[in-house]
C-alpha cells in the first residue's frame, strides 16, 4: 500500500542555510555522463592528483597499528603538536598545541567558529565573490552578512578604503581568504597590514581562511596572525585537503586562542566526537615528511593556470586576469552579453564543459565564471577548444 507522508516541518533556521553549487553542478554533469555525454570537469575544487604515497602509507600503518578508536575531541596530541610547530614556523608566531583544534576538513572550522562567536544581529564582513559557506553560515546563525566586493581591477584584493566604511559597532567578525576562492586573488603584506590597521583596536575577531596558503604563484603568503598583537584575535583555518590532495580524508584545523579552542572542541564533541584517528597519523606524516609531491603538484598547477589563462583570453567575449594563487581562474564574461548562470549551463549542456557561474559565489560574482585548473593539460586544452567552438557558433 502506498503511504503518504505528512508534510515535513523543517526547523525555520534551515531556510537560511545556503549550499555549495559545485556539488550540484557535479551531480548534473554526472547525469549527462550517464546519458553518454563526454564532460570535462572544471567545476570542483579538488586536486586531481592522488594523495602522496608516504601519506597513504602512514594512514595504512596507523590503521593496522590500532588507530581505529575514538580520540580526543580537539585532535591527537601528536598532530596538535605537529600543527603548532608547522604554524609557528610558517606564520612566524609561537603556537601551543592547546591552541590547535583538528576537525574533519577546513569547513567545520567555519561552521564551529561562526556558531561559537557570532550572535543574532551581529555583523560579519566577508569577501564577495567568496566561498559560499561564509554567507550561508552567517545567515544560518541569524547575523547580518556584510559583503566586501572584491574587484577585478584590484586583482580581487581588498579595497581597504571601502572595507573601513563597512566596519560598525556591530561588526563581530571579519573573514579573510587568501589565496582566494574563486578569484585566485592574493593579499599582499601591505594589504594585510592595512586591513589590520583599519580594524584597529576594536573588539573584532578575524577568521583567516588560509586553506590555499601553499598555493601562491606570485609573491608569498601573508597571514594576519603573523602581525604583532594579532595572534589572539585571529582564527587561522588551514588543512590538508588542497595542499596534500586529501579532500576525501576530511581533515583540517583551526589555530585560535585556547579559550575559543575549548569552545570549538565542545562543538566537535557535540557533532563528530573527533576526527578519525588514523587520518590524523597520516596528517603528521603529511606535515613532517617529504614535501616534494607538494612542489610537483604546485608546479603543475602553475603550468595549467598559464595555459588556461592564455586559452581563455582568445575566446570571444572572455577576458581573464592571471590569478596569483589557488587553482582557479575567474574570467570576466560580460562581453558575451550572457548572464553567468545561463552561460555556465549552456557550456555544460552544449559544449560538455562543467564550470561554475560566478554568482554561485555571491552577487558580485555575476559577470564571471569559475574554472578549476585541477585537471590535466589535455583536458584543459579539450575544454578550451570546446568553449571556443561554442562561442564562435553562439555569440
Ligand atoms: N575554504 C575555502 C576557501 C575552500 O575553497 C574550501 C574548499 O573548497 C574549504 C575552505 C574547505 O576545505 P575542506 O575540504 O578541507 O573542508
Amino acid at each position: 500500500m502506498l503511504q503518504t507522508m505528512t508534510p515535513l516541518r523543517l526547523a525555520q533556521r534551515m531556510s537560511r542555510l545556503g549550499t555549495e553549487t559545485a556539488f550540484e553542478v557535479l551531480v548534473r554533469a554526472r547525469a549527462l555522463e550517464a546519458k553518454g555525454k563526454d564532460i570535462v570537469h572544471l567545476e570542483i575544487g579538488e586536486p586531481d592528483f592522488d594523495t602522496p604515497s608516504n601519506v597513504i602509507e602512514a594512514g595504512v600503518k596507523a590503521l593496522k597499528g590500532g588507530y581505529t578508536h575514538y580520540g580526543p575531541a580537539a585532535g591527537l596530541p601528536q598532530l596538535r603538536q605537529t600543527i603548532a610547530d608547522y604554524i609557528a614556523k610558517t606564520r612566524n608566531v609561537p603556537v601551543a598545541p592547546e591552541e590547535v583544534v583538528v576537525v574533519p576538513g577546513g569547513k567545520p572550522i567555519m561552521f564551529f567558529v561562526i556558531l561559537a562567536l557570532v550572535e543574532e544581529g551581529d555583523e560579519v564582513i566577508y569577501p564577495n565573490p567568496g566561498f559560499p559557506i561564509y554567507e550561508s553560515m552567517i545567515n544560518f546563525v541569524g547575523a547580518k552578512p556584510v559583503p566586501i566586493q572584491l574587484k577585478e581591477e584590484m586583482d580581487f584584493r581588498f579595497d581597504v578604503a571601502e572595507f573601513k566604511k563597512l566596519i560598525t559597532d556591530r561588526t563581530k567578525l571579519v573573514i579573510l581568504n587568501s589565496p582566494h576562492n574563486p578569484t585566485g586573488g592574493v593579499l599582499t603584506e601591505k594589504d594585510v597590514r592595512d586591513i589590520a590597521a583599519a580594524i584597529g583596536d576594536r573588539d573584532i575577531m578575524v577568521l583567516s581562511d588560509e586553506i590555499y596558503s601553499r598555493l601562491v604563484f606570485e609573491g608569498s603568503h601573508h597571514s594576519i596572525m603573523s602581525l604583532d598583537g594579532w595572534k589572539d584575535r585571529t582564527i587561522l583555518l588551514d588543512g590538508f585537503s588542497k595542499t596534500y590532495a586529501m579532500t576525501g580524508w576530511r581533515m583540517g584545523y583551526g589555530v585560535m586562542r585556547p579559550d575559543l579552542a575549548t569552545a570549538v572542541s565542545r562543538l566537535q564533541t557535540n557533532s563528530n566526537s573527533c576526527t578519525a584517528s588514523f587520518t590524523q597519523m597520516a596528517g603528521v606524516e603529511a606535515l613532517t615528511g617529504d614535501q616534494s609531491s607538494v612542489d610537483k603538484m604546485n608546479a603543475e598547477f602553475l603550468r595549467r593556470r598559464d595555459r588556461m589563462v592564455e586559452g581563455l583570453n582568445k575566446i570571444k567575449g572572455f577576458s581573464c586576469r592571471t590569478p596569483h594563487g589557488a587553482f582557479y581562474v575567474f574570467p570576466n564574461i560580460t562581453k558575451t552579453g550572457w548572464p553567468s548562470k545561463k552561460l555556465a549551463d549552456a557550456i555544460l549542456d552544449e559544449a560538455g564543459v562543467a564550470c561554475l557561474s560566478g554568482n554561485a559565489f555571491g552577487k558580485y560574482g555575476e559577470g564571471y565564471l569559475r574554472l578549476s585548473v585541477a585537471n590535466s593539460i589535455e583536458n584543459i586544452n579539450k575544454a578550451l577548444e570546446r568553449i571556443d567552438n561554442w562561442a564562435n557558433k553562439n555569440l
Side-chain angles (χ1 to χ4, degrees), residues 202-384:
R202 293 181 182 86
D203 188 11
I204 293 173
M205 302 279 284
V206 172
L207 171 59
S208 184
D209 183 343
E210 303 181 18
I211 197 106
Y212 299 101
S213 58
R214 298 275 288 272
L215 262 166
V216 181
F217 303 123
E218 269 89 33
S220 45
H221 176 66
H222 298 283
S223 174
I224 194 166
M225 187 175 257
S226 310
L227 300 185
D228 252 5
W230 276 85
K231 164 83 188 303
D232 293 341
R233 301 171 68 186
T234 307
I235 301 108
L236 186 151
L237 178 163
D238 204 338
F240 298 85
S241 300
K242 317 288 178 178
T243 306
Y244 298 98
M246 291 176 74
T247 47
W249 292 69
R250 306 313 301 136
M251 186 164 47
Y253 54 87
V255 179
M256 63 202 85
R257 46 191 276 180
D259 46 2
L260 181 57
T262 303
V264 167
S265 302
R266 182 166 295 194
L267 285 164
Q268 168 95 318
T269 304
N270 277 267
S271 51
N272 305 296
S273 293
C274 63
T275 306
S277 300
F278 60 94
T279 62
Q280 294 188 61
M281 295 310 287
V284 172
E285 172 62 23
L287 287 174
T288 56
D290 179 15
Q291 302 294 301
S292 59
S293 17
V294 179
D295 299 336
K296 255 191 239 152
M297 286 191 273
N298 290 355
E300 185 56 24
F301 286 133
L302 178 62
R303 197 164 80 91
R304 296 167 179 187
R305 176 203 71 170
D306 289 343
R307 173 69 198 111
M308 181 76 102
V309 170
E310 182 205 4
L312 286 174
N313 278 322
K314 291 189 179 137
I315 297 175
K316 204 170 167 184
F318 282 60
S319 84
C320 188
R321 286 195 172 230
T322 301
H324 293 178
F327 41 57
Y328 310 105
V329 297
F330 202 61
N332 183 323
I333 51 86
T334 46
K335 291 221 168 82
T336 63
W338 285 49
S340 298
K341 171 84 170 67
K342 191 173 161 210
L343 185 65
D345 286 348
I347 287 176
L348 174 58
D349 295 332
E350 296 164 26
V353 178
C355 64
L356 299 183
S357 161
N359 57 13
F361 300 91
K363 63 178 175 181
Y364 296 123
E366 182 53 47
Y368 297 88
L369 294 180
R370 189 195 80 171
L371 298 94
S372 159
V373 296
N375 207 324
S376 64
I377 285 276
E378 294 70 38
N379 280 333
I380 287 172
N381 282 332
K382 199 199 282 187
L384 288 167

Side-chain angles (χ1 to χ4, degrees), residues 32 37-41 346-354 383 386:
L32 288 170
K37 198 158 168 117
D38 180 58
I39 305 288
V40 182
H41 289 273
I347 287 176
L348 174 58
D349 295 332
E350 296 164 26
V353 178
R386 288 181 180 185

